């Protein structure tokens, strides 16, 4: 170590050593920068940067060695052979290339360590080849241990330089790697120089080099610096030009650079949009590809929509904006080309979705209304006719509930296909929502055209939807209205077609009906009542009246039956016989039935006497799986004793879901609620129903009571029913008692309880009824005594 320092101090010009170190540092920085650039590039570009890094490294190593040799102060004149000097440069460059290539080949710690060792061998090969190029009147000899030590020290520092470059990040790896590479080159050179001996020999040729060492050092330094700066400049230019082009290629818009009416450059996005190649675009006028006058378009930031001629001949919708820029030292125009294909497709998709049903892709209500108005306008101008069809699927709700919404969607798509096959050119089929469809049939002679279309639709449904074999098959009902005879406006025409559909559904389903003003008048009234009934509870139009039930044994009132009434704002009080069937058909009976139960139980809790209250249940209420919970909740909320509540059901309630209905009745019976068979004798299986469930009471239908005075058969039926009740230990109530004769007959037959207007009208309140009843019974008994 001390001999190396002594060698530097005593045998070298310190100023040139500093110059050599500066050249070495600059060369090492250039090497590491190129090294970094090679690591960033892809494999096919990396070999060019490896070669550039090897060149910068080799030149830097060679220049460092040569200037350091010029700094060596010897008593003998020294010159250098041109061939070996040139060969030393080659060894430095090749050694550097081999070291960097090996390091990047496997790109791991081992390969970088091996690359560092190969770099040391390259430095050593250059050094000793350069030493052999010395021409002087002296013999050159080496201290082998010093030579080995120099290579080993250089190998350690160069391996560290490679490993530090791989491990660190950012600019620190460039600086630290360059300093370690500087130490590798300088330590190897000066350690090896400390073991060199020049022994003068007489008779050997002298030095041929007559140039001053300082001048020669300047020439070498300038040449080395120039080569290294060229390498650094290449890095700078490549990085900026590549980054700018990469930035332009990353743009979503195509870019055309135009000068003197010709395209001089373009980015990759433009080639992708148009399909043209760079050779076809560069040098051509922009009008070749764009339907635009480039000179007429201003530099204002106002986009201009035009078309781009693609390579395949297609016209591509684009948007262009022109800008002025300085490019390659010249004033140029850049034309920004934005592809509008996806935007146009998205706009078309949005517009399509706004006017079409998502599931079936049929026109929706909005487009249907638009086309219907257009068809009516054309028919009005030309004197034609237009048929409007309203279609509703039969059994669809049940299928949707049983098989699920996915199966329901499949059925709707299948129906859409059937209707599209049935219509003709110019017709429009639309899905208005749910299972509602509609058809517009213009330009046909009516009603013949509508009749043929309806027959085709029903025929297609008959072939595609076989309810006997397919449990998911549906039917269709059709209502038809024709312009102008059934309406002159779109609203009126559709409303009349819908009215005809309503009648078709009630005609047995699977039918087609034309609108008929006289026939559909009753239907319109019924539908209006149906709509009004849905709001009757909220509008407080429903109320209850209570009809007393007279008990023969106690000669008093045993209970009351709650009778529902509807006070319509326009039609007055409507009887239950009119609106209950409508409520059952529309489904509003469920909400109405719950309201009746709530009101009746609440009223019964206010009576002074603990009389029973009877409430009629519709068969549809038993379709609710929570009926028991509903009744139990009402009883708990109102505080009514369950034994005071009588639920009157008809035999129709036992016709569907018989097992479920009986199970619900049994639960109510265990709760304490009394269950009454209403309208007994009018059903189909009365005796089997009495055997299936232990009813608490039987009520004789009022139709038999009304015929007691003139029909012996009716009296026999009443007698049989009362006898059946006695045998089953069930009290029998006779409804509809209106006269004294009827009262006497049923009492004579042994009936336990009576009900009817003979004992008072239903509008008599429970608190007033007992006194009124006493007067009626007293008059009846007086008449009997006279007889």
């Amino acid at each position: 170590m001390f001999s190396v320092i002594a060698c530097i101090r005593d045998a070298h010009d310190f100023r040139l050593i500093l110059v050599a170190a500066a050249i070495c540092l600059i060369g090492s920085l250039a090497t590491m920068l190129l090294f970094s650039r090679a690591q960033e590039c892809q494999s096919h570009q990396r070999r060019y940067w490896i070669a550039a890094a090897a060149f910068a490294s080799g030149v830097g190593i060679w220049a460092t060695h040569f200037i350091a040799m010029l700094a060596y102060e010897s008593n003998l004149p020294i010159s250098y052979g041109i061939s070996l000097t040139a060969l030393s440069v080659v060894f430095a460059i090749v050694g550097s290339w081999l070291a960097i290539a090996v390091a990047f080949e496997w790109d791991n710690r081992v390969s970088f360590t091996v690359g560092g060792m190969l770099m040391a061998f390259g430095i050593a090969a250059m050094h000793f080849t350069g030493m052999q190029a010395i021409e002087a009147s002296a013999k050159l000899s080496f201290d082998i241990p010093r030579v080995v030590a120099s290579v080993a020290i250089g190998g350690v520092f160069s391996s560290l330089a490679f490993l530090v470059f791989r491990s660190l990040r950012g600019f620190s790896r460039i600086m630290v790697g360059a300093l370690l590479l500087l130490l590798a080159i300088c330590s190897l050179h000066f350690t090896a120089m400390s073991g060199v001996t020049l022994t003068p020999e007489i008779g050997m040729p002298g030095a041929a080099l007559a140039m001053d060492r300082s001048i020669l050092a300047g020439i070498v330094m300038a040449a080395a610096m120039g080569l290294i700066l060229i390498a650094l400049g290449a890095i700078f230019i490549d990085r900026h030009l590549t980054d700018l082009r990469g930035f332009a290629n990353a743009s979503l818009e195509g870019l055309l650079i135009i000068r003197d009416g010709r395209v001089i450059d373009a980015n990759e996005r433009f080639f992708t949009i148009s399909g043209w190649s760079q050779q076809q675009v560069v040098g051509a006028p922009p009008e070749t590809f764009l339907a635009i006058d480039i000179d007429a378009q201003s530099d204002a930031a106002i986009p201009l929509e035009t078309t781009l001629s693609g390579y395949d001949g297609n016209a591509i919708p684009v948007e262009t904006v022109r800008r002025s820029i300085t490019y390659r030292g010249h004033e140029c125009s850049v034309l920004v080309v934005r592809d509008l294909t996806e935007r146009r497709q998205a706009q078309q998709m949005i517009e399509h979705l706004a006017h079409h049903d998502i599931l079936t892709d049929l026109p929706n209500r909005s487009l249907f209304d638009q086309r219907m108005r257009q068809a009516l306008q054309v028919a009005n101008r030309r004197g034609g006719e237009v048929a409007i069809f309203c279609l509703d699927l039969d059994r669809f709700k049940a299928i949707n509930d049983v098989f699920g919404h996915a199966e329901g969607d499949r059925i709707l798509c299948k129906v859409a296909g059937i209707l599209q096959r049935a219509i003709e050119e110019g017709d429009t089929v639309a899905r208005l929502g749910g299972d509602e469809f509609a058809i517009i049939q213009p330009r046909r002679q009516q009603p013949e055209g509508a009749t043929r279309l309806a027959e085709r639709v029903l025929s297609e449904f008959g072939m595609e939807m076989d309810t006997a074999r397919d449990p998911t098959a549906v039917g269709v009902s059709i209502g038809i209205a024709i312009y102008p005879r059934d309406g002159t406006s779109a609203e009126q025409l559709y409303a009349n077609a819908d009215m005809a559909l309503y009648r078709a559904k009630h005609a047995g389903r699977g039918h087609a009906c034309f609108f008929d003003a006289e026939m559909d008048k009753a239907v319109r009234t019924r539908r209006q009542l149906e709509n009004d009934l849905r709001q009757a509870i909220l509008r407080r139009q429903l109320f209850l009246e209570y009809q007393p039930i007279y008990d023969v044994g106690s000669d008093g009132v045993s209970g009351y039956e709650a009778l529902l009434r509807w006070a319509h704002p326009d039609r007055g009080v409507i009887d239950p016989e009119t609106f209950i069937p409508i409520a059952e058909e529309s489904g509003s009976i469920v909400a109405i039935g719950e309201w009746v139960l709530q009101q009746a139980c609440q009223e019964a809790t206010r009576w002074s006497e603990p009389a029973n209250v009877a409430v009629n249940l519709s068969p549809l209420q038993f379709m609710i799986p929570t009926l028991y919970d509903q009744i139990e909740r009402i009883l708990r909320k109102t505080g009514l004793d369950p034994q005071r509540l009588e639920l009157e059901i008809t035999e129709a309630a036992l016709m569907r879901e018989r097992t479920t209905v009986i199970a619900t009745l049994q639960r109510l019976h265990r709760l304490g609620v009394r269950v009454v068979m209403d309208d007994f004798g009018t059903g189909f299986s009365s005796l089997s129903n009495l055997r299936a469930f232990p009813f608490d009471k039987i009520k004789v239908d009022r139709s038999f009571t009304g015929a007691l005075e003139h029909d012996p058969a009716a009296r026999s039926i009443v007698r049989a029913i009362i006898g059946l009740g006695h045998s089953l230990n069930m009290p029998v109530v006779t409804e509809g008692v209106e006269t004294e004769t009827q009262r006497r007959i049923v009492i004579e037959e042994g009936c336990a309880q009576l009900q009817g207007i003979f004992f008072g009208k239903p509008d008599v309140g429970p608190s007033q009824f007992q006194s009124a009843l006493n007067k009626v019974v007293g008059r009846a008994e007086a008449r009997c005594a006279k007889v």
Side-chain angles (χ1 to χ4, degrees):
M1 180 67 183
F2 291 106
S3 61
V4 174
I5 294 174
C7 173
I8 296 173
R9 183 189 63 208
D10 300 333
H12 289 79
D13 185 342
F14 196 72
R15 293 171 300 174
L16 289 177
I17 289 177
L18 291 178
V19 173
I23 294 294
C24 184
L25 179 60
I26 294 173
S28 299
L29 285 172
T31 300
M32 289 299 167
L33 286 171
L34 291 165
F35 209 8
S36 175
R37 187 59 176 164
Q39 191 180 44
E40 295 172 357
C41 293
Q42 298 177 352
S43 57
H44 67 279
Q45 296 178 333
R46 182 176 292 172
R47 59 177 180 267
Y48 300 114
W49 292 105
I50 289 175
F55 178 78
S57 175
V59 171
I61 293 169
W62 177 83
T64 301
H65 168 80
F66 199 80
I67 294 175
M69 286 301 299
L70 290 176
Y72 180 68
E73 294 178 342
S74 173
N75 295 326
L76 299 173
I78 298 174
S79 61
Y80 297 91
I82 295 176
S83 58
L84 289 177
T85 300
L87 184 61
S88 67
V89 177
V90 173
F91 281 159
I93 295 174
V94 172
S96 299
W97 174 83
L98 183 62
I100 299 172
V102 168
F104 276 119
E105 181 66 25
W106 292 279
D107 197 14
N108 54 39
R109 294 179 65 86
V110 175
S111 66
F112 269 71
T113 302
V114 173
M117 295 301 298
L118 291 175
M119 177 65 80
F121 287 129
I123 296 170
M126 183 283 308
H127 175 82
F128 292 108
T129 303
M131 293 297 294
Q132 291 297 326
I134 293 176
E135 295 180 357
S137 299
K139 180 181 180 181
L140 184 66
S141 59
F142 298 94
D143 184 349
I144 299 303
R146 293 288 179 90
V147 170
V148 174
S150 66
V151 175
I153 294 171
V156 170
F157 281 118
S158 59
S159 295
L160 286 174
F162 275 50
L163 289 173
V164 163
F165 175 83
R166 187 178 185 277
S167 301
L168 297 180
R169 292 291 181 267
F171 191 70
S172 59
R173 68 174 182 169
I174 304 294
M175 287 302 302
V176 177
L179 291 174
L180 289 173
L181 189 58
L182 168 68
L183 291 174
I185 297 170
C186 292
S187 62
L188 189 150
H189 176 85
F190 289 109
T191 301
M193 286 299 295
S194 67
V196 173
T197 303
L198 287 174
T199 305
E201 291 186 359
I202 301 174
M204 293 189 68
L209 185 61
M211 186 177 293
D212 184 79
R213 290 184 305 172
S214 299
I215 297 174
L216 185 59
I219 295 173
V220 173
M221 182 177 66
M225 288 294 293
L227 292 173
I228 293 171
L229 289 175
I230 289 173
L232 290 174
I235 296 174
F236 178 82
I237 293 172
D238 173 79
R239 180 177 293 274
H240 281 74
L241 289 180
T242 303
D243 289 348
L244 288 174
R245 178 161 290 276
F247 182 75
N249 289 334
S251 173
L252 296 177
E253 286 82 25
L255 300 176
L256 290 176
I257 308 298
I258 303 168
R259 189 177 74 204
D260 298 332
R262 299 281 175 174
V263 177
I264 63 172
D265 203 354
N267 68 344
E268 292 181 1
R269 177 59 179 164
F270 180 81
F271 303 136
T272 302
I273 296 173
S274 65
W276 299 100
S277 65
Q278 184 176 7
Q279 292 77 13
Q280 293 169 320
V281 172
V282 175
E287 291 81 3
T288 305
F289 318 104
L290 293 163
I292 187 175
D293 185 357
I294 188 65
D295 295 328
Q297 188 174 12
S298 65
D299 290 350
I302 301 175
L304 176 65
E305 291 191 8
T306 183
T307 56
L308 170 66
S309 299
Y311 180 76
D312 55 2
N314 292 331
I316 304 168
V318 295
E319 186 179 70
T320 62
V321 177
R322 181 184 173 184
R323 286 283 190 276
S324 295
I325 62 170
T326 300
Y327 186 75
R328 297 178 183 174
H330 296 273
E331 288 294 324
C332 301
S333 295
V334 58
L335 198 62
V336 181
V337 181
R338 180 178 296 116
D339 188 0
L340 299 181
T341 303
E342 293 184 359
R343 182 193 296 180
R344 294 282 178 83
Q345 291 174 349
Q347 290 174 345
Q348 292 174 357
M349 178 62 70
I350 293 171
E351 184 176 353
H352 182 82
L353 292 176
H355 294 92
H356 289 79
D357 176 53
I358 297 177
L359 178 63
T360 62
D361 202 40
L362 293 177
N364 59 12
R365 185 179 295 274
S366 173
L367 185 56
F368 173 79
D369 291 342
Q370 178 182 336
R371 291 188 178 178
M372 181 166 61
R373 296 178 191 280
Q374 292 174 351
L376 296 184
Q377 290 176 359
V378 172
N380 185 40
R381 290 197 305 267
R382 300 178 180 178
E385 294 178 303
V386 179
I388 302 299
F389 293 68
C390 285
L391 302 94
D392 191 81
L393 302 184
D394 304 330
R395 300 179 61 245
F396 177 77
K397 185 179 184 304
I399 291 172
N400 207 37
D401 293 340
V402 173
F403 296 97
H405 293 289
E407 184 64 20
D409 291 345
R410 186 190 70 82
I411 292 295
L412 291 174
C413 292
K414 187 175 181 180
V415 169
I418 293 174
L419 296 178
Q420 286 177 313
R421 290 195 300 271
I423 64 174
E424 298 177 347
E425 183 180 358
D427 298 346
T428 297
V429 57
R431 181 190 176 206
L432 307 185
D435 60 340
E436 299 178 42
F437 294 82
I439 299 175
I440 305 171
Q441 187 189 46
R443 304 195 303 269
R444 300 288 188 278
Q445 187 69 34
Q446 300 299 346
E448 293 81 5
T451 302
R452 289 194 300 269
L453 178 55
E455 290 174 350
R456 284 198 304 271
V457 171
L458 294 175
S459 176
E460 288 283 346
F461 267 84
M463 291 186 294
E464 295 287 336
M465 298 287 187
D466 188 352
T467 56
R469 293 182 299 176
D470 185 2
T472 64
V474 297
V476 63
S477 298
I478 306 173
I480 308 169
I482 297 175
Y483 171 87
R485 73 181 192 188
D486 296 331
T488 56
S489 67
E491 293 79 8
Q492 184 182 12
L493 201 62
Y494 179 79
N496 289 339
D498 191 47
M499 195 67 62
L501 170 63
Y502 191 85
R503 181 160 50 86
K505 293 177 71 70
H506 286 81
R509 301 179 184 270
H511 290 80
C513 290
F514 283 87
F515 175 75
D516 186 292
E518 293 298 325
M519 294 180 65
D520 288 329
K521 183 178 181 180
V523 175
R524 182 179 291 106
T525 302
R526 184 183 180 91
R527 292 197 70 178
Q528 185 63 48
L529 287 175
E530 180 181 317
N531 294 329
D532 294 343
L533 189 57
R534 291 192 180 97
Q535 307 296 326
I537 296 177
L538 295 177
R539 294 172 179 171
R540 301 179 182 274
Q541 296 172 358
L542 299 180
F543 65 96
L544 296 180
E545 292 182 341
Y546 298 89
Q547 187 174 56
I549 300 174
Y550 172 69
D551 187 78
V552 177
S554 63
D555 195 23
V557 176
S558 62
Y560 300 89
E561 180 179 358
L563 302 178
L564 180 63
R565 299 291 185 263
W566 179 16
H568 193 279
D570 300 324
R571 303 176 187 272
V573 177
I574 302 177
D575 293 331
E577 291 79 6
T578 302
F579 69 84
I580 290 297
I582 298 176
E584 290 181 332
E585 183 179 327
S586 63
S588 58
I589 189 64
V590 175
I592 293 174
E594 182 179 2
W595 180 85
V596 170
L597 276 168
Q598 175 78 28
Q599 296 297 315
C601 292
Q602 190 171 345
E603 171 68 20
T605 59
R606 294 195 290 262
W607 296 343
S608 58
E609 297 295 330
N612 296 339
V613 60
V615 177
N616 289 276
L617 289 185
S618 168
L620 291 181
Q621 289 180 263
F622 285 93
M623 299 295 103
I624 307 172
T626 59
L627 177 62
Y628 172 84
D629 299 326
Q630 181 186 105
I631 296 173
E632 191 272 336
R633 184 183 69 253
I634 291 174
L635 289 171
R636 186 177 64 254
K637 182 178 179 180
T638 60
L640 182 68
D641 185 354
Q643 294 185 354
R644 294 180 59 193
L645 176 62
E646 294 182 355
L647 298 178
E648 298 187 0
I649 68 170
T650 62
E651 291 175 312
L654 300 171
M655 299 300 293
R656 292 190 300 176
E657 304 291 339
R658 181 182 179 87
T659 303
T660 303
V661 172
I662 291 177
T664 303
L665 292 175
Q666 288 173 343
R667 293 182 67 192
L668 291 170
H669 206 267
R670 289 192 295 269
L671 182 64
V673 176
R674 302 167 64 84
V675 182
V676 179
M677 169 68 79
D678 195 13
D679 299 337
F680 185 77
T682 59
F684 299 98
S685 54
S686 301
L687 297 180
S688 63
N689 289 332
L690 290 178
R691 185 179 62 181
F693 180 78
F695 287 92
D696 296 286
K697 191 184 295 185
I698 300 174
K699 296 189 76 172
V700 179
D701 185 66
R702 65 178 62 249
S703 61
F704 299 119
T705 308
L708 283 175
E709 299 180 48
H710 54 82
D711 188 355
R715 183 165 183 170
S716 300
I717 293 174
V718 171
R719 182 184 303 115
I721 296 174
I722 294 173
L724 180 64
H726 289 164
S727 64
L728 295 176
N729 198 24
M730 292 183 187
V732 177
V733 182
T734 301
E735 293 184 300
V737 178
E738 299 179 358
T739 66
E740 168 60 25
T741 303
Q742 293 172 357
R743 183 190 75 87
R744 178 175 51 80
I745 292 174
V746 294
I747 290 178
E748 290 175 354
E749 297 295 343
C751 185
Q753 295 180 347
L754 309 178
Q755 182 180 347
I757 61 174
F758 178 79
F759 303 99
K761 293 183 179 180
D763 58 349
V764 177
S767 60
Q768 307 170 4
F769 184 77
Q770 187 61 51
S771 59
L773 178 65
N774 293 335
K775 294 179 181 178
V776 172
V777 173
R779 289 196 302 268
E781 291 176 347
R783 285 195 295 270
C784 291
K786 291 179 180 179
V787 174

